[in-house]
Amino acid sequence: MNSKKKIGIIICDRYRRCAGGKCLRAMRNKEGAFSIYAGLDVELVGFTTCDGCPGGNIEYAGEEMVKNGATVVHLATGLVVGYPPCPHIDTFKAFLEKRYAIEVVVGTHPIPKKYLDMHTHLGTWKDAVWQPLIAPTLSDELTRANYD
């Protein structure tokens, strides 16, 4: 019997006009950070932005998602691959986990190849603190290329 995971997604406000296509495709295909749900049904119960720096919507979005049954909140891949990456991502994760006793996963869709190439060139993710943040969305080379 399949268990259903109810999730919410919070994206960076820089991408507020994003239609969510990559996140939703990755969720449907269980790719990127959604690979942890292989064999499970996944239902999206909330999708919104952080409302811009320093994340004024994090408190309210988390509360609404939990009210709608979310057991996991994903901080979208855009928070990691943006230029520059979100400086508040650790704070968002810690707050949501503590305030709502909910699991928070950094990442949604696989990191597109063009972003990995540029951040590698820039040295953005050289610091060891970034490794656990990008790990769930690294995927293999072909999958990354399919998300360009």
Side-chain angles (χ1 to χ4, degrees):
M1 180 173 165
N2 280 351
S3 297
K4 183 178 279 192
K5 279 287 190 181
K6 293 185 178 189
I7 66 162
I9 297 174
I10 300 175
I11 68 172
C12 177
D13 195 63
R14 289 179 286 193
Y15 308 115
R16 67 184 158 274
R17 291 183 180 89
C18 179
K22 288 179 183 175
C23 290
L24 297 176
R25 176 171 36 132
M27 186 174 75
R28 183 179 59 249
N29 295 337
K30 309 292 190 308
E31 294 175 322
F34 296 114
S35 65
I36 62 175
Y37 306 118
L40 300 176
D41 290 330
V42 178
E43 178 183 349
L44 183 65
V45 299
F47 185 95
T48 191
T49 77
C50 65
D51 196 35
C53 290
N57 195 35
I58 295 297
E59 181 177 358
Y60 306 108
E63 183 174 358
E64 182 70 17
M65 290 176 183
V66 169
K67 283 181 181 177
N68 288 326
T71 57
V72 180
V73 170
H74 282 256
L75 300 176
T77 299
L79 290 158
V80 177
V81 300
Y83 300 106
C86 176
H88 306 292
I89 199 161
D90 289 328
T91 303
F92 294 169
K93 184 176 186 324
F95 171 79
L96 291 165
E97 289 172 340
K98 183 70 173 174
R99 175 68 176 91
Y100 302 109
I102 193 166
E103 179 183 359
V104 176
V105 175
V106 175
T108 49
H109 63 78
I111 294 173
K113 181 185 181 313
K114 62 186 175 187
Y115 286 98
L116 180 63
D117 290 349
M118 181 54 69
H119 282 290
T120 299
H121 174 76
L122 295 172
T124 309
W125 300 324
K126 272 185 170 178
D127 192 311
V129 73
W130 285 103
Q131 298 316 301
L133 297 174
I134 65 171
T137 54
L138 277 177
S139 300
D140 61 83
E141 189 172 343
L142 178 60
T143 302
R144 287 192 302 269
N146 286 334
Y147 280 83
D148 264 351

